[in-house]
Amino acid sequence: MSLPYFKQFEWDATIVAVDEKYGDVVQDDLLTESLPADLKIYKVNAFSKSITAKVGLGSLALRSLWPFLKKVNEILKKERFDLIYFSTTQFPLCILGAYWKKRFGVPYVIDMQDPWHSEYYQDKSKDQRPPKYWFSYRLHKFLEPIAMKAASGLISVSPDYISDLKNRYPSIKDIPSAVITFGAFEPDLKIANDNRHKFEPLLQTGFINIVYAGRGGMDMQKAVTPVFLALKKGLAEDAAVFSKLRFYFIGTSYAPAGTGKPTILPLAKKIGVDSQVVEITDRISYYHTLLTLQQADALFIPGSDDPKYTASKIYPYLMTGKPLMAIFNDRSNASGVIKACSNDAVLLTFEEDPGCLTDSIHQTLTNWAVGRLKPITLTAIFKNYSAEELTGRQVKLFERAIEYSSAGIITGVVKIK
């Protein structure tokens, strides 16, 4: 989303990425349609998962760490760069920044799209923890300080992620940082719609289809539970009307296709509304997601019970103009964004009285069930969250990181013009 705009801010980008054939995620060829034609892209290999999985190492970051090291070494020997920017949730790769900075004198910025090392699951039961949690927790706890202590700047989707890192590593408390989420890139909606024939329809006709596309997890159940309770209440009062509602939770697991564990449907079964709920654990592609959001009658965004969580990809939901209900922790910055950027969205928080919360949701579902589907409208503030605007904020952070490094606060860095 930033790549189409870097050049207008006088930055040239060179991309180094893992060749897509080594990933086990859904492929989406349309992702390249909006990229600049002259963009330079290097692709690296990765060790085969069929081999590394035998010793329990399936992580793409670990499988591609050595190929990344070799390729970027090769590039930095031939060309000179102002900055290295890590924008990935494959966080172990970020430790290479410290090596490249020491060897080639190039500062680096890390984009924290999610927490890397986190204590969130430490007090959770085994069934609530992600797969291989014992190993990943210790690996991240070891690798994170290697990457962070030499970083020249931080970008994050949440202010809490930045404050946690600066508190954890006092040596970076003064480095430049900024909260910058994923921007709104309107051309993507058109790309998705123009290519709708390429995607399998996921929504069933004849219902009021309410869609959430994104990860699931036990931490989402605090937001989902009152919705299901309100739905149960509606079905008991007027089954003919409320049976028209169908909730879709799509792409709720990060596991490879066909192996994801449902986390939403079991809750629906427990409450007794599973006939109205569809959970698709398999991830779908980015443009398939955008098309499905546009095909929905209404949209739902559940937040995490972790107050540091932010729904960093809320802008596509807003751009569709569909009726929207969102439930977040009151401390989540996503609430403020939705409130500032849209009119007529139903925005609720965990802090509300449980009875009042259920009643508010019940009223919203009643309106939707009888066809009162009021679209949201965007405010003028929404333009502040466009991909172009946020790219401008990114490059300002880049420039501050370079200046910070070249001022000698972080030694051994050469500023290149």
Side-chain angles (χ1 to χ4, degrees), residues 37-48:
D38 61 347
L39 182 66
K40 187 182 293 184
I41 301 176
Y42 295 97
K43 294 186 178 181
V44 303
N45 298 328
F47 294 110
S48 171

Side-chain angles (χ1 to χ4, degrees), residues 90-132:
Q90 298 293 328
F91 290 121
L93 292 171
C94 298
I95 64 170
L96 296 175
Y99 169 79
W100 290 324
K101 178 181 171 184
K102 183 177 181 180
R103 180 173 179 183
F104 298 100
V106 183
Y108 63 96
V109 169
I110 298 176
D111 184 359
M112 298 300 296
Q113 299 171 17
D114 287 313
W116 184 353
H117 169 61
S118 172
E119 301 289 334
Y120 177 78
Y121 289 101
Q122 279 295 90
D123 60 352
K124 303 296 187 292
S125 61
K126 185 176 180 181
D127 64 310
Q128 291 181 296
R129 292 176 173 179
K132 301 181 181 179

Side-chain angles (χ1 to χ4, degrees), residues 149-374:
K149 290 180 179 179
S152 303
L154 290 174
I155 289 176
S156 175
V157 298
S158 167
D160 288 320
Y161 298 168
I162 292 175
S163 61
D164 282 353
L165 289 168
K166 290 192 172 185
N167 288 334
R168 193 177 296 158
Y169 309 110
S171 62
I172 65 169
K173 65 182 179 64
D174 295 323
I175 66 172
S177 60
V179 176
I180 305 175
T181 61
F182 292 91
F185 190 64
E186 293 193 36
D188 280 341
L189 292 182
K190 184 177 186 304
I191 292 172
N193 194 50
D194 288 347
N195 291 275
R196 57 188 177 276
H197 59 281
K198 297 181 180 180
F199 302 112
E200 175 189 357
L202 299 178
L203 310 182
Q204 188 172 343
T205 58
F207 293 91
I208 303 295
N209 291 314
I210 305 164
V211 171
Y212 164 69
R215 75 164 182 87
M218 302 300 290
D219 62 313
M220 296 285 188
Q221 293 197 355
K222 191 171 182 178
V224 176
T225 296
V227 174
F228 287 172
L229 290 174
L231 178 59
K232 182 178 182 179
K233 178 182 177 183
L235 288 168
E237 294 173 347
D238 193 341
V241 171
F242 274 79
S243 62
K244 297 176 183 177
L245 299 177
R246 177 157 293 188
F247 280 85
Y248 288 80
F249 295 83
I250 301 171
T252 55
S253 174
Y254 289 115
T259 64
K261 181 180 178 181
T263 54
I264 305 299
L265 192 57
L267 177 63
K269 289 180 178 179
K270 181 180 178 180
I271 295 175
V273 295
D274 51 295
S275 61
Q276 308 304 121
V277 175
V278 175
E279 180 176 8
I280 301 172
T281 59
D282 289 353
R283 309 291 284 185
I284 60 174
S285 71
Y286 172 63
Y287 285 104
H288 196 178
T289 298
L290 293 183
L291 179 64
T292 305
L293 294 180
Q294 293 178 83
Q295 292 173 333
D297 297 294
L299 304 175
F300 171 50
I301 310 177
S304 169
D305 61 13
D306 182 354
K308 299 174 183 178
Y309 171 81
T310 178
S312 57
K313 305 179 182 70
I314 60 176
Y315 304 111
Y317 285 81
L318 297 176
M319 284 191 298
T320 65
K322 299 288 184 176
L324 173 66
M325 178 172 64
I327 305 177
F328 289 107
N329 189 298
D330 192 49
R331 287 175 53 193
S332 172
N333 60 359
S335 298
V337 171
I338 294 175
K339 188 179 297 184
C341 292
S342 64
N343 297 312
D344 300 316
V346 178
L347 180 60
L348 304 169
T349 67
F350 298 152
E351 284 66 27
E352 298 183 40
D353 176 80
C356 293
L357 180 60
T358 301
D359 288 344
S360 297
I361 298 169
H362 179 266
Q363 183 58 57
T364 299
L365 297 185
T366 299
N367 290 336
W368 290 356
V370 299
R372 291 195 293 266
L373 295 153
K374 189 174 185 179

